[in-house]
Amino acid sequence: SYLSRQLDFVGPSPGAGVEVMALQITDDYGLVLAAAGAIGMTQLFLGGGVMGLRKKFFKDNRAFLSKPEVEAMAEKHKKAFGGDMNDMGYPDMGCGLYAQQLEYEQWVELNNAQRAHYNMVESSGPVLACMLATGLRFPKVCGSFGFMFALARFLYAQGYKSKKGADGRKVGAVLGAVASLGLIGTSLVTGGLIFAQRQ
């Protein structure tokens, strides 16, 4: 069933001057919005995991803080900027001067978690755009793909952060590819159909 709400788009018309096109949003579009929320929550969850590791390895790590190299960097930072260096390791993104002072296992763990988060940040933009737009026409299909994408990113991250490292991300990567390509493909087909129906 259609909701009573509708959006009116006003554009030029050769004859009457303006043309009004009504866009009706079905109740099923709620599935699309819920999927968008699930994707956002997953991304926040993965980011929180990275922050937890930063706190563990940089801020609360006495072995790290007591290293002569780290103490020397702290002095250089104070001389250059007049204050203490960031206690969470910023602006180091896992491959810089601070991270080089971590133990190897810590370095790998931090970078695996960070890479899993970055990969979602990199891929979620096109997915959300396709889902929210094309979901107006096919809400159930796009909402389902959206939830699949959120689940895939969670599995991707958990696998990446396991002892297997990058090799553990395969299940999530395949599922995420299916969801992403499904949404992009649906968007392309829908756009083509709408364009073909133009007057």
Side-chain angles (χ1 to χ4, degrees):
S1 64
Y2 284 91
L3 297 174
S4 59
R5 298 183 295 274
Q6 70 177 33
L7 305 175
D8 291 335
F9 295 92
V10 180
S13 176
V18 294
E19 179 181 1
V20 178
M21 179 181 69
L23 175 64
Q24 293 180 309
I25 301 176
T26 68
D27 297 334
D28 292 335
Y29 194 73
L31 183 66
V32 175
L33 297 178
I39 291 172
M41 288 301 297
T42 303
Q43 189 162 308
L44 288 174
F45 175 77
L46 299 185
V50 176
M51 292 297 292
L53 290 178
R54 283 184 170 276
K55 184 175 184 297
K56 177 182 177 182
F57 295 152
F58 293 116
K59 186 174 182 178
D60 298 336
N61 189 351
R62 292 184 178 276
F64 169 81
L65 295 172
S66 62
K67 284 188 174 182
E69 296 86 352
V70 175
E71 292 177 344
M73 281 193 293
E75 286 299 319
K76 285 183 180 180
H77 189 94
K78 185 172 292 187
K79 287 180 180 179
F81 302 102
D84 296 332
M85 65 183 192
N86 184 270
D87 61 1
M88 295 289 279
Y90 290 112
D92 197 317
M93 301 307 286
C95 301
L97 294 175
Y98 299 168
Q100 289 176 11
Q101 302 304 320
L102 295 175
E103 298 299 324
Y104 179 75
E105 184 177 352
Q106 296 172 338
W107 182 86
V108 171
E109 188 175 350
L110 174 64
N111 276 275
N112 283 349
Q114 201 142 254
R115 186 60 217 143
H117 180 235
Y118 288 164
N119 191 269
M120 182 169 188
V121 171
E122 294 161 0
S123 60
S124 60
V127 165
L128 285 168
C130 290
M131 184 183 71
L132 292 171
T134 311
L136 292 169
R137 180 65 70 92
F138 300 110
K140 291 181 179 179
V141 172
C142 292
S144 298
F145 275 136
F147 276 111
M148 182 188 296
F149 179 79
L151 174 62
R153 301 320 305 178
F154 176 79
L155 295 176
Y156 182 100
Q158 295 304 110
Y160 215 142
K161 293 188 292 183
S162 70
K163 293 293 184 181
K164 293 182 179 180
D167 292 336
R169 62 185 172 158
K170 293 179 181 178
V171 173
V174 171
L175 190 62
V178 171
S180 299
L181 292 175
L183 284 166
I184 293 171
T186 305
S187 183
L188 287 171
V189 170
T190 302
L193 291 174
I194 293 174
F195 185 76
Q197 293 172 0
R198 74 192 190 285
Q199 293 182 350

